[in-house]
Amino acid sequence: MKQKFEVAIIGGGIIGCSIAYYLAKEKMNVALFEGNQIGSKSTSAAAGMLGAHSECDEDFDVFFPFARSSQYAYSQLKEELHHLSGLDIGYRKGGILKLAYNEKDINELRSTLSQHTVKWLDKEAVWEMEPDVSSEVAGAAYIEEDVNVVPTAVCEAFAKSAQILGASLFEFYPVLDIQKQDNSYLIQTATSQVEAKHVVVASGVWSTTFFKQLGLDHQLTPVKGECLSVIDEKATLKKTIFHDHCYIVPRNNGRLVIGATMIENDWNERVSLSGIDSIIAKAKTMLPTVADMKMDSFWAGLRPQTFDQKPFIGHHPEEEGILFATGHYRNGILLAPATGQMITDLILKRQIKSEWVEAFKIDRHQPLLVSR
Ligand SMILES: Cc1cc2nc3c(=O)[nH]c(=O)nc-3n(C[C@H](O)[C@H](O)[C@H](O)COP(=O)(O)OP(=O)(O)OC[C@H]3O[C@@H](n4cnc5c(N)ncnc54)[C@H](O)[C@@H]3O)c2cc1C
């Protein structure tokens, strides 16, 4: 007999797993289909910064409050998910120091510094906080509230908690096709067919396939990011440090995550020597002591980018039962709780801030590409 669900989610990255969790909490009958292993794609590559302030230097009216609501949700989720799943999401306080070396850097930090939760520190204050930071710094914007988590741990905790609350998770089940059938949809995998009233496409950068299949010409562009981790035996670094798209994030297990390159339109998930070279060089200018640390690991992942770098969260313009939650680009870890909540509210037809619905809807204005 064909299995029936209220909601089928396609994709088991942090976005799909968060949606499964929030829906399962509402006692919805949910199934999640993941083509590989849960959390093994972009989610596993992320550094885990919850950079509501550090990633937002414009759009303070819409994107920032959405990101802040998600960041705030984590402060409660860490206990909630631990209580349900027994898993620790690696929530680590300390915040981010956005380093400035010269006037140009200081100018670039002006809009970040205009937020009342961000403080300017002169170089002496930076060295007092982080004695090993480069002697070349002029100061830093200190963002105490931009904490970090371990992305794979969050994803696993969402998935396990959703399952405990009744969600069905199917790993190594790529979805091949979605077809409409009266008031529901048929989800076709290689070995089975299931029926669902709502379908949520949360397939990261691979969501383009489903946009096409469902009659939309939306495209997501991969922005490849390469990272490495080193062992900080003396556990010297306490806070994340950040400069010129490069960051060093301390984890609770004594590792420092160093990232990340930004290579547009590269679908190859392998790490390049030149990529690793470039981030090591940048890391040494921020924290010279990394040069002596021992290598732990390296990896790459594909950030799903939309035309305006904001996610698509909303209904298909013509198919009420199909929803998209994808295109979270550099901020999927940060935005996962708010996205899970928003999709749940959309399915349950609850009130949502209209500016969020407008900003993230699928058929928002897309500038026409002018061919030259
Ligand atoms: C180097 C790097 C550093 C980053 N650092 C941060 C950070 O510090 N903070 C932050 O907030 N964000 C960060 N990000 C961004 C973040 O990782 C992404 O925005 C987020 O992981 C996107 O999650 P997702 O669930 O949409 O995608 P994914 O994690 O890619 O999950 C999508 C899933 O869908 C599955 N799938 C695809 N097609 C199908 C199909 N047909 N059937 C079934 N399953 C399918 C895939 O196998 C995959 O598991 C970083 C990204 C990179 C690459």
Side-chain angles (χ1 to χ4, degrees):
M1 201 179 69
K2 198 184 297 156
Q3 276 189 289
K4 288 188 183 174
F5 296 95
E6 281 172 285
V7 186
I9 301 164
I10 309 176
I14 196 162
I15 299 298
C17 291
S18 166
I19 296 166
Y21 173 66
Y22 280 93
L23 286 168
K25 252 173 85 167
E26 299 292 341
K27 305 197 179 351
M28 301 282 284
N29 180 18
V30 182
L32 179 147
F33 297 91
E34 165 53 47
N36 294 281
Q37 198 181 339
I38 280 178
S40 62
K41 292 297 190 175
S42 188
T43 297
S44 66
M49 292 173 288
L50 304 182
H53 300 80
S54 55
E55 285 289 321
C56 189
D57 44 23
E58 52 180 33
D59 201 353
F60 290 114
D61 295 336
V62 182
F63 185 82
F64 182 63
F66 186 70
R68 278 287 269 169
S69 76
S70 207
Q71 189 186 50
Y72 177 70
Y74 269 106
S75 60
Q76 300 183 333
L77 277 168
K78 64 179 193 294
E79 264 109 44
E80 195 175 302
L81 294 177
H82 184 256
H83 179 70
L84 268 166
S85 66
L87 296 172
D88 174 4
I89 65 167
Y91 188 93
R92 182 180 166 117
K93 290 186 177 170
I96 296 184
L97 285 166
K98 271 191 135 176
L99 305 180
Y101 290 80
N102 48 41
E103 274 308 308
K104 181 175 161 276
D105 289 346
I106 296 173
N107 275 331
E108 280 173 11
L109 287 175
R110 290 225 184 278
S111 71
T112 307
L113 284 163
S114 68
Q115 301 168 69
H116 72 277
T117 37
V118 182
K119 271 197 284 193
W120 170 254
L121 302 182
D122 60 22
K123 57 186 176 194
E124 282 76 20
V126 173
W127 294 325
E128 198 173 314
M129 241 179 213
E130 291 294 352
D132 288 341
V133 160
S134 161
S135 58
E136 305 289 314
V137 290
Y142 177 40
I143 314 165
E144 192 175 2
E145 296 184 21
D146 285 3
V147 298
N148 59 283
V149 292
V150 176
T152 46
V154 179
C155 188
E156 196 187 343
F158 272 138
K160 192 168 172 197
S161 302
Q163 198 170 31
I164 288 166
L165 295 173
S168 305
L169 309 182
F170 300 92
E171 279 183 296
F172 302 101
Y173 261 79
V175 171
L176 306 176
D177 191 31
I178 308 167
Q179 272 181 21
K180 190 161 184 186
Q181 170 196 271
D182 304 325
N183 291 326
S184 63
Y185 298 92
L186 285 181
I187 311 291
Q188 183 71 53
T189 73
T191 51
S192 62
Q193 217 182 34
V194 300
E195 194 179 325
K197 195 155 178 270
H198 304 270
V199 179
V200 184
V201 176
S203 320
V205 73
W206 299 275
S207 303
T208 303
T209 314
F210 293 106
F211 278 121
K212 260 197 207 131
Q213 236 184 57
L214 296 160
L216 301 170
D217 59 5
H218 297 52
Q219 300 232 344
L220 296 173
T221 316
V223 181
K224 176 169 162 176
E226 295 150 304
C227 290
L228 66 112
S229 62
V230 294
I231 303 166
D232 182 12
E233 274 169 358
K234 298 185 188 135
T236 43
L237 192 71
K238 304 284 182 250
K239 298 179 176 20
T240 295
I241 53 177
F242 193 109
H243 180 254
D244 188 22
H245 295 294
C246 179
Y247 45 76
I248 308 182
V249 180
R251 290 248 169 104
N252 289 338
N253 64 357
R255 304 294 190 269
L256 301 181
V257 174
I258 304 177
T261 55
M262 296 272 287
I263 308 165
E264 197 141 338
N265 250 316
D266 185 350
W267 285 96
N268 188 320
E269 293 172 80
R270 287 190 181 277
V271 174
S272 68
L273 279 183
S274 60
I276 292 297
D277 237 21
S278 72
I279 50 176
I280 292 177
K282 282 187 181 179
K284 286 197 283 194
T285 65
M286 291 195 283
L287 191 74
T289 50
V290 290
D292 298 321
M293 292 182 191
K294 304 290 176 287
M295 189 84 154
D296 176 46
S297 175
F298 51 84
W299 62 89
L302 308 181
R303 303 174 185 90
Q305 182 184 227
T306 63
F307 69 92
D308 60 2
Q309 300 183 346
K310 298 206 178 74
F312 290 125
I313 309 171
H315 293 284
H316 185 295
E318 281 136 34
E319 286 288 336
E320 176 82 5
I322 306 265
L323 298 99
F324 291 90
T326 185
H328 290 72
Y329 188 41
R330 293 172 56 90
N331 295 303
I333 311 306
L334 167 65
L335 301 179
T339 303
Q341 185 65 63
M342 185 163 164
I343 290 287
T344 302
D345 292 344
L346 284 166
I347 289 176
L348 295 175
K349 298 193 190 315
R350 290 181 180 148
Q351 188 83 25
I352 303 172
K353 287 190 179 170
S354 58
E355 62 271 27
W356 292 356
V357 175
E358 282 300 306
F360 306 134
K361 70 182 182 186
I362 313 309
D363 53 347
R364 62 183 179 259
H365 175 69
Q366 181 163 359
L368 282 176
L369 291 176
V370 182
S371 52
R372 294 183 212 185

